[in-house]
Amino acid sequence: MKAVLPLRFLSGMEGQQSHIAVEAVINGKSALMIIDTGASNCVLDADRASQFGLDHEPSFRSDSAIGIGAESLSVSLSRCEHFELGEFRMEKFPFVLLDLGTINETFGKAGCGPVDGIIGTDLLLAANAVIDYKSATILFRGSKRSLQRLFKNVTIS
């Protein structure tokens, strides 16, 4: 299972390239996802979840998470029916639903549009991802078995 996606470089303050992102498809709808090697999990903005057809999944317990700030954040979990990163396709993929309002507000001040979510280390490791800054691409080349082991109930196509 392999896919190569082009990276988008988002501008930060004073036009500096500050974040990398990729286009994804969640339940048939386009999504802009930041690649964040410091994020533990894949996250979807809780305020945007309904536009992708995601709801809090009752079988998952609501929890809290720790971010860069001192406060803990209220989170819930959900699964999307279909998640695509180019040719890298997964079904029943889990997302942490989290308020990304502060992040999107900061991007707005820098002249960037909002992001829908974050691709975190959980998927980057399981997919054996390689970021190539020189060619501005990210390669996903994970095995179905390692992805299914980490993300229980995920179907890989």
Side-chain angles (χ1 to χ4, degrees):
M1 181 163 183
K2 186 175 173 180
V4 178
L5 283 93
L7 295 175
R8 283 184 50 184
F9 292 91
L10 305 180
S11 297
M13 296 299 189
E14 299 175 16
Q16 174 185 351
Q17 290 180 338
S18 63
H19 289 82
I20 55 175
V22 294
E23 293 289 332
V25 176
I26 301 172
N27 291 337
K29 297 189 170 120
S30 293
L32 182 62
M33 308 287 287
I34 294 174
I35 303 291
D36 187 346
T37 60
S40 302
N41 301 95
C42 291
V43 173
L44 196 63
D45 187 359
D47 288 343
R48 297 172 178 279
S50 63
Q51 84 182 44
F52 295 105
L54 273 74
D55 291 315
H56 165 75
E57 189 170 303
S59 64
F60 288 123
R61 179 175 60 88
S62 289
D63 213 338
S64 62
I66 298 173
I68 290 177
E71 299 176 24
S72 68
L73 307 167
S74 175
V75 301
S76 61
L77 300 171
S78 186
R79 285 190 188 270
C80 67
E81 289 299 315
H82 306 285
F83 180 45
E84 301 175 25
L85 294 162
E87 297 298 314
F88 203 77
R89 295 183 174 105
M90 295 164 280
E91 295 179 12
K92 306 291 184 198
F93 188 81
F95 281 102
V96 173
L97 300 181
L98 184 64
D99 179 6
L100 297 181
T102 303
I103 291 169
N104 281 324
E105 184 179 314
T106 302
F107 279 139
K109 289 177 184 173
C112 293
V115 297
D116 298 302
I118 297 168
I119 295 176
T121 301
D122 56 352
L123 180 57
L124 296 171
L125 286 173
N128 199 17
V130 177
I131 300 169
D132 184 338
Y133 288 96
K134 188 173 183 177
S135 68
T137 59
I138 184 168
L139 167 66
F140 292 93
R141 57 181 182 180
S143 75
K144 288 183 180 184
R145 188 180 344 203
S146 66
L147 286 160
Q148 287 172 327
R149 186 176 32 236
L150 181 63
F151 302 110
K152 293 171 180 41
N153 302 322
V154 171
T155 305
I156 313 300
S157 55

